[in-house]
Amino acid sequence: MSKKAIRAGVIGFPVGHSKSPLIHNTWIKRMALAGEYDAIEIPPSEFTRESLDTLVSGGYSGFNLTIPHKETGYDFCDDLDDIALAVQAVNTIFVKDGKLHGTNTDVYGFVQSLKNAAPDYDVASAPAIVLGAGGAARAAVHGLLQEGAPEVRLFNRLREKAELVAESSADPSRVRVFEWDRRNAQAGNSGLVVNATSLGMKRHEPLLMDYRQFSQSAIVYDMIYAPPVTKFLADANKAGLHTVNGAGMLAYQAAAAFEIWFGKRPVVDEEIINLVLG
Ligand code: NAP
């Protein structure tokens, strides 16, 4: 690699399934940039600030963090931007002058993929439902508040976790927490429902939703992309609702991270979405 080559990678455990190396290396090749993007597997017990410093000494200047390192990595950064602080998790790190700067591009990934898949949907027009209270749900809540949602209705199996997400959000007055079992009863006038739980992923139980209460114009968004059509989405399709899976979110969060490291915005197109779904 030449002196100017940029080296980045995704750190996770396990990480072999990650689509990020395929996506980023496709963009590096397309744009004829000097760089590479690797998969770096580090178990939780070995993921420390020192492990990141060792990678930086070895030439890395950018990282994505994936499961289970997004929350731990937050504590290892020298500097956090407003989005990382709001989401309390870091999925992107860039190294400058030896310091680790943390941000979270999942918020952009979520919002941009929603705009792309449902360009006529106005987030400010109706309450939104978010299912879950982990890092992905925090990203969705932050993105929806930022886009002007009048109310975000939050449901999580462990209600206390949802309360914490609401309290620490950018505008707690617009986030209402409900019991997990009440998620169908609160559908009423909501315009969007987002699955940010792990229910529906391969080898997980499905997420069951009763769509009879939803308006026919409601958007049903699942952050999961493997499988591309979960039961949550298949049932919504049967009910005639507009559905969106998580492939766009993964691609757009990657695009934002790529721009931070390489200084150029890559294009998210069908080839990139197919790499996510492949
Ligand atoms: P996480 O922090 O582990 O949170 C998991 C969430 O799922 C929690 O709210 C948990 O509820 C809930 N859950 C798990 N098992 C459940 C069950 N049996 N019944 C009800 N709720 C259950 O994970 P995360 O990082 O936020 O990710 C959540 C999802 O978003 C995953 O499917 C992930 O793949 C997806 N995601 C997609 C993208 C993308 O780019 N497309 C990016 C980030 C995440 P409790 O709190 O009650 O345990």
Side-chain angles (χ1 to χ4, degrees), residues 122-128 141 143-152 171 174:
D122 177 9
V123 170
S125 67
V141 170
L144 292 168
L145 291 177
Q146 180 190 284
E147 293 298 308
E151 182 178 299
V152 178
D171 184 358
R174 281 191 283 151

Side-chain angles (χ1 to χ4, degrees), residues 65-102:
L65 303 182
T66 188
I67 293 173
H69 297 323
K70 289 186 192 183
E71 274 93 7
T72 328
Y74 178 87
D75 294 328
F76 298 156
C77 291
D78 298 302
D79 172 57
L80 296 159
D81 71 2
D82 288 348
I83 301 174
L85 287 167
V87 179
Q88 295 179 14
V90 159
N91 82 330
T92 302
I93 293 177
F94 65 98
V95 183
K96 202 175 168 200
D97 301 328
K99 289 207 156 65
L100 304 185
H101 301 268

Side-chain angles (χ1 to χ4, degrees), residues 13-42:
F13 188 80
V15 81
H17 66 282
S18 172
K19 305 289 186 185
S20 295
L22 274 175
I23 297 172
H24 287 279
N25 286 317
T26 298
W27 283 328
I28 288 169
K29 207 169 152 194
R30 269 189 195 173
M31 296 163 121
L33 298 171
E36 66 175 55
Y37 184 102
D38 307 316
I40 307 163
E41 188 157 281
I42 304 184

